[in-house]
């Protein structure tokens, strides 16, 4: 019993189906299955069933194509359900199935038809192809060509000598079902087995394992067993008889190791295609060679080829067909006649070249309705399916097909498939003209000697009532004279119907557009008038006539009927207008056309003549053509003599004189353009205009005026104006209509000077006339003098020089600015390096100061004794300069200036003045205070009064006050030198060191001299100090040096560099310091070296005032230039 697992649908293409596309389905089926084995369901596997409605599916029919579909005999298909089943047991190895093929694909071409319910016929709906992969099963055992083989070998053969024998053949294919291994029995005998694979087959090599001795044993038997890899495993065996003979020690040797030749198919029988050659070094019978096909040569080789044993020629004995065998591969044995005989094998390959020996094969499968087709069948109807094959390869297998009957079309069913066609009805069939059609399809291949094949089928055309009545002459034309009688016959209308009996009987009727003016006899087709006609009202009638047969359903045709109404002379002529006007130029020759009179006559023929009214003298001036009504002149006219002529004309029917009409004519004589325009401005005496330079665009400069003596009523005297020459650079523009001359663009310097314009005036006559005049325009500057062109060029050159100078200046300014930016950037980088070096020096200095116990002592009196001097030298004095930012944080004020030294320099005039200043800063009443460097209301050791509090509050000043002590006043010469070397970048720092607070004093930068000047230093002013205090001369270098600390309230004075300044040239001046009401020391404290008593005094000092006064001590009024 076969399970469903044996059938595996592999691929279902085109899930969304549409007609005219081919669907390919793939299935797998094992061979040897019983008949009626299920293969697959086409509708389900192609998704056709799911993509159409149930009603549509019920109308489908499934069939195998009978022609060109050889595998269809092995299967059956249900026409309704589309189920494919096996029709018989299929043997894969059968010759007509897949004998010897590694892959076995059976192609089934399936046609899907759909039934047209209304017409009860089938049309081709879809093409499908089922590819059945017939899977091999292990149903064949390996078979050797012969059941037993006899071999001989001489006893002298060496060990490992090999005898060749044919391998087994297994009709089964595949990796498992074919031969997998060989085995020799006995395994441990005198011989071993070696398998050699050649051209898909195997050669068995029987190898001598031990030395042979014929005298000991001259006969051996071994069995070789072949095993396949199938399940269950199958085996086959052969018995090898080996006879040991005497020595024949040389085997024949082929000259070539492999023979490979090419032959064309269908060659002549017995034709030699290959010459084999071998040599044997032995003599006599041992050296005589005979040639034989190897015992392993296949049957197809033996049927097609043979070899001459004596000569070694390979020749044909049967047909060599490329389509059957594209190549022959076999072994040829060369055997000597020694005893025992020796042999050798050589492979031979014969390639077959295709020859165009096959005609295209044409298979036609008609539609299920057959070849009987009604003549009423619609175009596009499916007639037959055509498949074409050509067994040749390459261009020999390519073909083209055509058909002999234009009523049918041969089209590819699918653009991707070249050998499947569909025959459809291209043109309507007509039973009356051709009751049968012999349709022939001819296919021709593209080989060098093209092969052609044709196949025909007969189409019978079934008759129907398909002919409508046909009118003899279309359109149908008749005529009748107007004013006819009622019932008069106009014409006889006839139509022919090629059908017979009732289908050919015709009835006539008029279309609705005929109205009530006509009628027709239905049986005879006689057309009658039902009213009198008036040609002048309607000159013709057009309407349709219908001829209908009595078929079922009836057919009809329509023809156009044209009835012309013939004229009778019953209408008088009439002028188109009652008054005609004409014009003629004066001085024209005679017979000049003047006017065409127009009149109408409603009659068909022009029955009218033109003439002047009787008793008129117009004949001496004009002539009239009686047929056309054309009036021409009979003389030349002078407008100055007479401007117009009035007269009467008549038109009359010459057949009936009472039919006439009259009209009035007026002829105007026109003035000829015989005068040229006269320019009234400019004139020779008045032609100069001056305009200022810079006049705006559009300003009207002047106006050219002219007149024409021709008649003002004539259109051609309209005058136009233009500039002919002299308009340099198009500076001016003239209005063509009124002659106004205006500036057309912005003036340039080159426009200054003279402009000589030549203007022209034209009339508008046919032969236009014109006049010209000269207009001189001077463009002057503001003072009214015209400038020459040379001066303008100089101005332009000067302007260009100014522009160039400005451009060069801008470029230089940009370069200087870029240089300054680069220098400043370099200075900033240098300052950063200096700041780092100075910070290191200051940190070292402040560390040394914190370890010292003596501070700056300022001597009160130069005459004190040495003990007093020593004590004073050990005093510590601390100054605090506070600004308004510190008044709110008095207890933690910073900003002290701490000055210390280890020795007092020799007194000088400068130092003496400094000492006087320091003594003034001290207050005897505050000596006992313990407050150091603090201001405000904090406890100083003796308490604080309101006066002190108020004094402290009032002593607070802004740090920018000019009275703040200038830092440079306390700089020693050695410090200035250091700053001049460029190693200090910050001018002031403040910090809190070892509990003392001081204001940092920084060296004076190079810009300080300028600043001193800006601060309006006044060294000569006096203050409220005692007259006994007189400033002593001092020098900067004698002032003690100071260390620098940083405080948050200190003022940073920065500059780009510092320079040494020699102030010896600035003599000291008497300076009165501030009185007690003008400034106070913020804080001053000193301490004895015994550390037992601390005297602290609180003072309020205005820092800006102190700095200002210190500047006056050390500097004169003149500026310091750095």
């Amino acid at each position: 019993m076969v399970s469903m697992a044996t059938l595996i649908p592999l691929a279902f293409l085109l899930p969304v189906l549409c007609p005219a596309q081919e669907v390919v389905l793939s299935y797998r089926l094992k061979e040897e299955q019983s008949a009626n084995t299920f293969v697959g369901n086409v509708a389900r596997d192609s998704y056709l069933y799911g993509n159409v409605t149930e009603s549509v599916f019920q109308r489908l029919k499934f069939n195998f194509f009978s022609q060109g579909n050889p595998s269809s005999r092995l299967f059956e298909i249900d026409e309704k359900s589309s189920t494919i089943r096996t029709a018989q047991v299929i043997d894969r190895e059968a010759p007509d199935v897949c004998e010897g093929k590694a892959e076995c694909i059976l192609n089934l071409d399936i046609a899907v038809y759909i039934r047209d319910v209304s017409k009860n016929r089938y049309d081709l709906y879809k093409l499908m192809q089922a590819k059945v992969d017939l899977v091999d099963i292990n149903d064949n055992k390996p078979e050797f060509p012969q059941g037993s083989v006899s071999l001989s070998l001489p006893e002298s053969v060496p060990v490992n000598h090999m005898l060749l024998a044919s391998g087994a053949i297994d009709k089964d294919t595949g990796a498992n079902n074919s031969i997998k291994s060989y085995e020799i029995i006995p395994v441990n005998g005198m011989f071993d087995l070696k398998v050699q694979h050649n051209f898909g087959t195997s050669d068995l090599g029987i190898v001598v394992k031990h030395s042979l001795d014929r005298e000991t044993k001259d006969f051996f038997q071994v069995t070789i067993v072949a095993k396949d890899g199938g399940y269950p495993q199958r085996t086959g065996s052969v018995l090898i008889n080996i006879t040991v003979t005497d020595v024949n020690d040389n085997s024949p040797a082929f000259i070539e190791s492999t023979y490979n030749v090419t032959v064309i198919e269908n060659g002549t029988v017995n034709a030699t295609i290959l010459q084999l050659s071998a040599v044997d070094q032995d003599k006599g019978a041992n050296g005589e060679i005979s040639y034989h096909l190897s015992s392993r040569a296949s049957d197809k080789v033996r049927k097609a080829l043979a070899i001459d044993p004596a000569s070694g020629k390979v020749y044909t004995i049967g047909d060599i067909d490329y389509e059957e065998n594209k190549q022959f591969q076999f072994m040829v044995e060369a055997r000597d006649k020694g005893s025992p005989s020796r042999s050798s094998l050589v492979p031979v390959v014969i390639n077959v070249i295709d020859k165009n020996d096959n005609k295209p094969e044409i298979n036609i499968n008609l539609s299920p309705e057959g070849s009987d087709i009604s003549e009423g069948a619609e175009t596009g109807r499916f007639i037959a399916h055509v498949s074409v094959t050509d067994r040749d390869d390459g261009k020999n297998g390519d073909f083209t097909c055509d058909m002999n009957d234009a009523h049918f079309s041969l089209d590819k069913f699918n653009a991707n498939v070249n050998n499947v066609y569909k025959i459809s009805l291209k043109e309507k069939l007509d039973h009356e003209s051709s009751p049968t059609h012999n349709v022939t399809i001819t296919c021709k291949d593209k080989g060098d000697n093209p092969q052609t094949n044709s196949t025909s089928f007969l189409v019978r055309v079934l008759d129907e009532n398909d002919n409508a009545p046909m009118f003899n002459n279309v359109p149908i034309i008749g005529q009748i004279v107007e004013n006819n009688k009622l019932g008069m016959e106009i014409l006889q209308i006839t139509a022919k119907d090629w059908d017979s009996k009732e289908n050919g009987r015709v009835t006539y009727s008029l279309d609705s557009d005929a109205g009530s003016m006509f009628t027709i006899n239905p049986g005879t087709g006689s057309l009658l008038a039902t009213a009198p006609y008036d040609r002048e009202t309607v000159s013709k009638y057009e309407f349709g006539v219908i001829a209908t047969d009595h078929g079922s359903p009836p057919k009809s045709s329509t023809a156009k009927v044209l009835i012309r109404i013939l004229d009778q002379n019953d209408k008088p002529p009439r002028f188109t207008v009652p008054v005609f006007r004409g014009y003629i130029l004066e001085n024209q020759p005679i017979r000049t056309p003047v006017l065409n009179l127009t009149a109408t006559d409603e009659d068909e023929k022009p029955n009218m003549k033109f003439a002047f009214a009787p008793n008129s003298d117009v004949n001496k001036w004009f002539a009239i053509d009686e047929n056309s009504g054309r009036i021409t002149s009979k003389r030349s006219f002078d407008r100055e003599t007479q401007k117009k002529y009035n007269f009467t004309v008549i038109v009359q029917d010459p057949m009936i004189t009472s039919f006439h009409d009259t009209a009035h004519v007026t002829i105007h004589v026109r003035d000829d353009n015989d005068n040229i325009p006269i320019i009234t401005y400019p004139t020779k005496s008045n032609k100069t205009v001056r305009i200022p330079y810079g006049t705006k665009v559009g300003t009207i400069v002047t106006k050219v005026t002219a007149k024409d003596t021709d008649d003002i009523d004539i259109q051609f005297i309209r005058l136009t104006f233009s500039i002919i020459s002299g308009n340099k650079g198009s500076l001016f523009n003239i209005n063509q209509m009124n002659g106004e001359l205006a500036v057309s663009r912005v003036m340039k310097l080159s426009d200054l000077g003279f402009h000589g314009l030549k203007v022209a005036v034209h009339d508008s006559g046919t032969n236009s006339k014109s006049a010209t005049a000269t207009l001189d325009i001077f463009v002057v500057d503001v003072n009214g003098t015209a400038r020459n062109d040379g001066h303008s060029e100089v101005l332009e050159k000067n302007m260009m020089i100014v522009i160039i100078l400005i451009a060069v200046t801008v470029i230089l300014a940009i370069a200087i600015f870029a240089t300054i930016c680069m220098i400043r950037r370099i200075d900033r980088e240098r300052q950063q390096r200096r700041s780092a070096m100075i910070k290191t020096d200051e940190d070292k200095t402040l560390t040394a100061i914190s370890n010292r116990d003596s501070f700056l002592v300022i001597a009160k009196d130069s005459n004190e004794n040495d003990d007093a001097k020593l004590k004073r030298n050990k005093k510590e004095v601390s100054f605090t300069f506070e600004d308004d930012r510190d008044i709110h944080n008095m207890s933690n004020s910073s900003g002290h200036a701490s000055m210390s030294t280890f020795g007092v320099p020799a007194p000088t005039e400068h130092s003496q003045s400094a000492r006087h200043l320091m003594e003034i800063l001290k207050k005897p009443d505050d000596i006992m205070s313990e407050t150091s460097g603090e201001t405000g209301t904090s406890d100083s050791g003796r308490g604080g009064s309101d006066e002190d509090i108020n004094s402290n509050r009032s002593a607070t000043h802004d740090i920018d006050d000019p009275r703040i002590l200038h830092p440079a006043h306390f700089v020693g010469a050695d410090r200035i030198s250091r700053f001049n070397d460029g190693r200090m970048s910050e001018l002031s720092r403040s910090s809190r060191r070892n509990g003392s607070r001081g204001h940092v004093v920084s060296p004076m930068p190079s810009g300080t001299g300028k600043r001193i000047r800006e601060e309006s230093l006044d060294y000569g002013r006096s203050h409220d100090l005692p007259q006994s205090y007189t400033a002593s001369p001092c020098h900067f270098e004698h002032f003690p040096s100071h260390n620098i600390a940083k405080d948050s309230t200190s003022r940073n004075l920065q500059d780009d560099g510092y320079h040494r300044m020699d102030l010896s040239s600035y003599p000291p001046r008497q300076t009165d310091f501030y009185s007690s009401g003008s400034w106070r020391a913020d804080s001053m404290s000193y301490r004895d070296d015994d550390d037992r008593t601390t005297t602290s005094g609180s003072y309020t000092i205005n820092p800006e005032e102190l700095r200002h006064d210190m500047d006056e001590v050390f500097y004169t009024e003149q500026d310091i230039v750095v």
Side-chain angles (χ1 to χ4, degrees):
M1 182 174 182
V2 179
S3 64
M4 291 298 293
T6 61
L7 302 173
I8 308 171
L10 294 182
F12 310 113
L13 302 181
L14 300 178
V16 179
L17 300 176
C18 57
Q21 287 186 327
E22 184 174 3
V23 178
V24 179
L25 305 174
S26 296
Y27 299 98
R28 288 174 64 97
L29 174 68
K30 290 184 178 180
E31 65 170 334
E32 301 295 342
Q33 304 298 314
S34 61
N36 205 34
T37 297
F38 176 81
V39 177
N41 185 277
V42 172
R44 180 196 64 196
D45 298 338
S46 64
Y47 304 128
L48 176 63
Y49 183 79
N51 284 279
V52 298
T53 62
E54 183 65 27
S55 60
V56 172
F57 185 78
Q58 294 298 326
R59 292 159 50 202
L60 297 181
K61 180 179 180 181
F62 300 84
N63 281 333
F64 288 138
F65 283 133
S66 59
Q67 299 294 323
N69 201 13
S71 299
S72 62
R73 64 181 180 80
L74 303 175
F75 300 91
E76 296 176 345
I77 185 170
D78 190 287
E79 292 185 350
K80 290 297 183 183
S81 67
S82 74
T83 298
I84 300 176
R85 298 180 182 273
T86 57
Q88 62 187 41
V89 175
I90 303 174
D91 183 9
R92 188 180 185 278
E93 291 77 25
D96 56 350
V97 182
C98 292
E99 181 183 15
K101 295 182 180 179
E103 183 180 31
C104 184
I105 303 297
L106 304 179
N107 295 322
L108 300 175
D109 294 328
I110 304 168
V112 181
Y113 301 99
I114 185 168
R115 184 171 61 87
D116 189 337
V117 178
S118 61
K119 299 179 181 179
N120 194 24
R121 64 179 179 83
Y122 282 94
D123 193 3
L124 183 63
Y125 180 70
K126 184 170 292 298
L127 289 180
M128 295 187 181
Q129 187 179 65
K131 293 181 176 292
V132 181
D133 183 4
L134 192 59
V135 181
D136 182 44
I137 63 173
N138 194 21
D139 58 339
N140 292 284
K141 68 177 182 178
E143 293 182 354
F144 286 92
Q146 297 173 334
S148 63
V149 176
S150 297
L151 300 175
S152 62
L153 77 166
E155 60 179 338
S156 60
V157 296
V159 175
N160 294 326
H161 177 76
M162 184 169 60
L163 296 174
L164 294 178
S166 299
I169 297 174
D170 195 330
K171 294 182 180 180
D172 294 324
T173 60
N176 295 324
N177 297 333
S178 60
I179 298 173
K180 281 294 185 179
S181 63
Y182 289 92
E183 181 182 1
I184 188 170
I185 301 174
V187 177
N188 297 323
M190 287 291 293
F191 301 94
D192 199 357
L193 181 64
K194 184 176 181 180
V195 181
Q196 294 181 343
H197 299 281
N198 292 311
F199 304 118
T201 61
S202 299
D203 291 332
L204 303 181
I206 301 173
V207 181
V208 178
K209 294 170 59 177
H210 307 285
S211 297
L212 299 176
D213 185 4
R214 191 186 68 82
E215 287 71 23
T216 303
K217 187 174 183 179
D218 61 355
F219 182 77
F220 297 90
Q221 279 188 333
V222 295
T223 301
I224 298 177
V225 179
K227 301 178 180 179
D228 63 22
Y231 182 83
Q233 189 178 59
R234 295 179 180 273
T235 62
S237 63
V238 61
L239 179 64
I240 307 296
N241 297 313
I242 301 174
T243 302
V244 181
T245 64
D246 284 334
V247 175
N248 179 16
D249 57 349
N250 289 296
S251 298
F254 284 94
I255 296 176
E256 302 289 342
S257 60
T258 301
Y259 289 88
N260 193 323
V261 295
T262 301
V263 297
I264 300 176
E265 66 172 332
N266 301 330
T268 305
V269 178
N270 295 324
T272 301
I273 59 177
L274 177 63
Q275 175 65 60
L276 301 176
S277 179
V279 295
D280 193 326
Q281 299 297 328
D282 293 327
K283 300 295 183 179
N286 292 336
E288 294 181 7
I289 301 173
S290 61
Y291 301 91
H292 310 275
L293 291 175
S294 171
S295 60
R296 301 187 303 278
S298 63
D299 290 339
K300 68 178 182 180
V301 174
R302 296 182 182 276
K303 291 178 181 179
L305 303 171
I307 188 169
D308 185 352
S311 64
K313 292 182 179 179
V314 178
Y315 57 94
T316 59
I317 59 174
D319 293 334
I320 296 180
D321 189 357
Y322 172 84
E323 288 71 32
E324 296 293 336
N325 297 291
K326 296 178 174 58
Q327 188 183 68
F328 294 94
Q329 295 179 348
F330 55 93
M331 302 292 291
V332 174
E333 181 182 18
R335 187 185 310 154
D336 62 20
K337 298 181 179 180
S339 180
S341 176
R342 297 179 66 91
S343 63
S344 60
L345 296 173
V346 67
V348 177
V349 178
I350 298 177
N351 297 298
V352 182
I353 297 177
D354 182 36
K355 183 180 179 181
N356 191 18
D357 58 337
N358 291 285
K359 297 179 180 180
E361 296 179 4
I362 304 172
N363 298 300
I364 300 176
N365 293 276
L366 295 174
S367 124
E369 288 85 1
S371 60
D372 294 340
I373 302 175
S374 170
E375 63 177 341
E378 297 178 356
T379 58
R381 174 177 174 172
F382 170 71
I383 304 298
H385 167 269
V386 179
S387 63
V388 183
T389 58
D390 192 322
R391 299 178 65 192
D392 293 322
D393 280 350
K395 66 178 182 180
N396 296 332
D398 293 338
F399 51 83
T400 57
C401 298
D402 56 19
M403 193 164 49
N404 67 331
D405 197 324
H407 289 85
F408 305 91
S409 64
L410 181 67
D411 304 309
K412 287 185 178 180
F413 189 78
N414 191 318
N416 298 324
V417 180
N418 295 324
N419 64 331
V420 178
Y421 297 88
K422 175 182 178 181
I423 298 178
S424 303
L425 184 62
K426 183 179 180 181
E427 297 179 0
K428 286 280 190 177
L429 301 177
D430 186 11
H431 173 77
E432 288 73 23
S433 60
S434 180
T436 60
H437 291 266
N438 187 18
V439 182
T440 301
I441 296 95
T442 302
C443 295
K444 182 179 180 180
D445 65 28
K446 299 179 181 179
D448 294 334
N449 296 315
Q451 299 285 334
T452 303
N453 192 14
S454 298
T455 302
S456 302
F457 64 96
L458 186 66
V459 175
R460 288 183 293 272
V461 182
L462 303 179
D463 187 27
E464 287 188 3
N465 182 24
D466 58 341
N467 291 294
M470 301 296 293
F471 290 95
N472 295 333
N473 296 312
V474 177
I476 302 171
I477 300 175
Q479 60 186 18
I480 186 172
V481 178
E482 62 178 335
N483 305 318
N484 58 285
K485 296 181 181 179
L486 298 181
M488 180 181 292
E489 183 180 29
I490 302 173
L491 77 163
Q492 180 72 38
I493 298 175
T494 58
K496 174 67 176 177
D497 192 326
W498 293 100
D499 293 325
S500 59
K501 298 182 180 180
E502 288 299 307
N503 292 337
R505 187 166 64 89
V506 179
T507 299
Y508 302 93
S509 61
L510 296 180
D511 205 348
S512 59
D513 57 353
S516 61
M517 303 296 291
F518 303 91
T519 186
I520 192 170
N521 188 312
T524 63
S526 177
L527 184 66
L528 307 176
T530 58
Y533 306 118
D534 183 6
R535 194 204 67 81
E536 287 74 25
T537 304
V538 180
S539 62
K540 63 180 179 180
Y541 291 89
E542 293 183 9
F543 52 90
V545 61
I546 303 171
T548 305
D549 64 20
H550 290 258
S552 179
K555 291 184 178 295
S556 63
S557 60
T558 302
K560 181 180 178 181
V561 178
L562 174 62
I563 303 299
R564 292 193 179 96
I565 308 301
L566 301 180
D567 183 45
Q568 283 185 343
N569 189 13
D570 58 349
K571 300 292 181 183
R574 290 284 184 267
F575 281 108
T576 55
V577 292
V579 178
F580 292 89
R581 284 184 173 84
Y583 300 89
I584 184 172
L585 286 175
E586 61 178 337
N587 303 321
Q588 296 296 312
I590 61 175
R591 289 189 292 276
T592 298
V594 179
L595 177 65
N596 283 329
L597 300 177
T598 56
T600 60
D601 188 339
E602 294 181 2
D603 291 327
E604 183 176 10
K605 295 182 179 179
N607 298 317
M608 56 185 177
K609 298 290 184 180
F610 295 93
F612 293 120
N615 304 321
S616 174
D617 60 352
V618 71
N619 289 322
K620 63 183 179 180
W621 300 103
F622 300 97
I624 187 170
D625 187 301
E626 66 175 6
N627 294 318
S628 65
R630 184 178 185 184
I631 299 176
T632 58
S633 64
K634 296 178 69 175
R635 64 174 58 186
S636 179
F637 296 95
D638 183 5
R639 188 177 185 280
E640 286 71 23
T641 302
Q642 186 173 348
K643 294 184 178 181
K644 64 180 179 179
Y645 297 86
N646 296 314
F647 53 90
T648 302
V649 293
I650 62 173
V651 61
Q652 187 176 25
D653 189 333
M655 304 298 295
I656 304 176
T657 58
S658 62
F659 288 173
H660 68 272
D661 191 18
T662 62
H664 297 283
V665 177
T666 299
I667 305 297
H668 296 270
V669 179
R670 282 183 171 177
D671 187 22
D672 194 7
N673 186 22
D674 51 358
N675 296 291
I676 65 174
I678 300 174
I679 298 176
T680 59
Y681 177 81
T683 62
K684 292 183 179 181
S685 61
N686 184 16
K687 62 176 181 178
T688 303
V689 177
R690 294 178 180 271
I691 63 173
Y693 175 76
T695 301
K696 294 183 179 179
V697 176
T699 302
I700 297 175
V701 175
T702 186
K703 182 176 181 180
V704 178
T705 58
K707 64 181 181 178
D708 196 321
T709 58
D710 287 322
D711 194 335
I712 60 174
D713 293 334
I714 306 304
Q715 185 178 6
F716 56 70
I717 59 92
R718 182 171 58 86
L719 303 179
T720 58
F721 302 84
S722 64
I723 299 175
I724 298 177
S725 63
N727 191 12
K728 182 175 64 177
S730 299
L731 179 60
F732 302 100
N733 183 34
I734 193 167
N735 189 316
Q736 295 183 358
M737 305 306 296
N738 58 23
E740 292 179 345
L741 185 71
V743 177
S744 63
R745 61 171 174 80
V746 177
M747 291 186 177
K748 300 185 294 186
L749 292 177
S750 59
D751 295 329
L752 288 167
F754 172 74
H755 297 265
L757 303 184
K758 186 175 182 180
V759 297
V761 180
H762 309 266
D763 62 24
S764 302
T766 304
N767 298 318
S768 178
K769 299 183 181 298
S770 63
T772 61
T774 302
L775 179 63
D776 297 338
I777 301 177
F778 290 87
V779 179
V780 298
D781 60 7
V782 292
N783 58 10
T785 303
R787 297 184 181 181
N788 56 45
D789 294 339
H791 185 60
S792 300
E793 294 178 358
V794 171
L795 289 176
E796 291 182 356
K797 291 180 180 178
N798 291 341
M799 182 64 70
M800 182 61 66
I801 292 172
V802 170
I803 294 173
I804 293 173
L805 289 176
I806 292 173
V808 171
T809 303
V810 172
I811 293 172
L812 291 176
I814 294 173
I816 292 171
F817 178 75
T819 304
I820 292 172
C821 292
M822 293 176 62
I823 293 173
R824 293 192 64 182
R825 178 177 179 183
I826 293 171
D827 287 344
R828 282 195 297 270
E829 294 175 353
R830 186 179 299 165
Q831 288 175 14
Q832 292 174 1
R833 291 194 298 269
R834 289 174 184 169
S835 298
M837 295 173 62
I838 292 171
K839 187 175 185 304
T840 303
D841 293 343
E842 289 175 354
D843 291 342
K844 293 178 180 178
T845 304
L846 292 175
T847 302
I849 292 173
S850 65
N851 296 328
R852 295 170 185 170
D853 296 329
S854 59
F855 299 88
L856 176 64
V857 177
I858 301 176
K860 292 183 179 181
D861 188 6
S862 62
N863 296 327
E864 290 179 354
N865 55 42
D866 295 337
D867 294 336
K869 291 180 179 180
L870 293 173
K871 186 174 181 180
R872 286 194 300 272
N873 290 338
K874 295 180 180 179
K875 296 294 184 176
E876 178 185 296
V877 180
S878 177
F879 296 93
T880 302
F881 306 102
E882 298 181 352
D883 57 14
D884 56 352
R885 289 173 295 184
D886 298 325
I887 194 65
H888 303 293
N889 188 13
M890 299 174 186
S891 61
N892 296 317
S893 68
S894 61
H896 298 270
S898 178
M899 299 170 289
S900 64
T901 182
F902 295 98
V904 179
T908 64
E909 291 182 0
H910 292 73
S911 63
Q912 186 66 26
S913 298
R915 290 193 187 97
H916 288 316
L917 176 60
M918 295 303 118
E919 289 178 5
I920 293 171
L921 298 177
K922 297 179 182 178
K923 292 291 184 174
D925 56 338
D926 290 335
I927 293 175
M928 298 304 294
S929 175
E930 293 181 0
T931 302
S932 175
E934 296 182 1
T935 62
T937 58
S938 61
D939 191 3
S940 62
R942 60 177 177 82
S945 64
D946 294 338
E947 181 181 356
D948 295 334
I949 295 172
N950 295 330
S951 298
N952 290 334
R953 290 176 179 173
S954 63
T956 304
H957 302 278
D958 188 87
I959 194 168
D960 294 328
D961 196 311
R963 292 173 292 176
I964 295 176
L965 181 62
H966 199 288
H969 295 175
F970 298 99
V971 180
D974 58 338
R975 301 297 286 178
I976 293 177
S977 176
R978 289 178 60 193
F979 295 133
N980 288 336
D981 293 338
R983 292 174 290 178
M984 179 65 74
S985 62
E986 289 187 35
L987 298 178
S988 64
R989 295 177 181 273
S990 62
S991 64
R992 178 171 281 177
R993 305 283 188 186
N994 298 328
S996 64
R997 292 169 292 177
H999 199 79
V1000 177
V1001 180
S1002 301
M1004 181 178 67
S1006 61
T1008 304
K1010 182 178 180 180
R1011 182 170 183 174
I1012 294 171
R1013 185 177 60 217
E1014 292 174 353
E1015 293 176 350
S1016 302
L1017 297 177
D1018 185 3
Y1019 297 108
R1021 67 181 178 178
S1022 61
H1023 305 279
D1024 297 334
L1025 293 178
Q1027 297 296 325
S1028 59
Y1029 287 94
T1030 302
S1032 300
C1034 64
H1035 194 279
F1036 240 103
E1037 295 181 355
H1038 297 293
F1039 204 87
S1041 62
H1042 305 283
N1043 293 317
I1044 300 173
K1046 183 179 180 181
D1047 184 69
S1048 61
T1049 61
S1050 62
R1051 182 179 183 188
N1052 296 329
L1053 303 175
Q1054 299 179 356
D1055 207 313
D1056 294 336
Y1058 301 89
H1059 307 274
R1060 178 183 295 274
M1061 295 183 294
D1062 187 1
L1063 304 180
S1064 60
S1065 61
Y1066 297 87
R1069 302 177 58 185
Q1070 283 189 342
T1071 305
D1072 295 332
F1073 288 89
Y1074 295 95
S1075 63
S1076 61
S1078 60
W1079 64 275
R1080 303 181 210 178
D1082 285 347
S1083 177
M1084 178 184 293
S1085 64
Y1086 62 92
R1087 183 172 60 228
D1088 287 336
D1089 58 353
D1090 57 6
D1091 297 329
R1092 291 176 294 176
T1093 303
T1094 301
T1095 302
S1096 176
S1098 297
Y1099 307 92
T1100 301
I1101 300 175
N1102 187 326
E1104 291 296 326
E1105 292 179 356
L1106 178 58
R1107 186 181 69 176
H1108 184 71
D1109 292 328
M1110 294 299 288
D1111 289 341
E1112 290 183 348
V1113 172
F1114 297 105
Y1115 300 93
T1116 63
E1117 292 181 353
Q1118 72 181 84
D1119 293 339
I1120 300 173
V1121 180
V1122 180

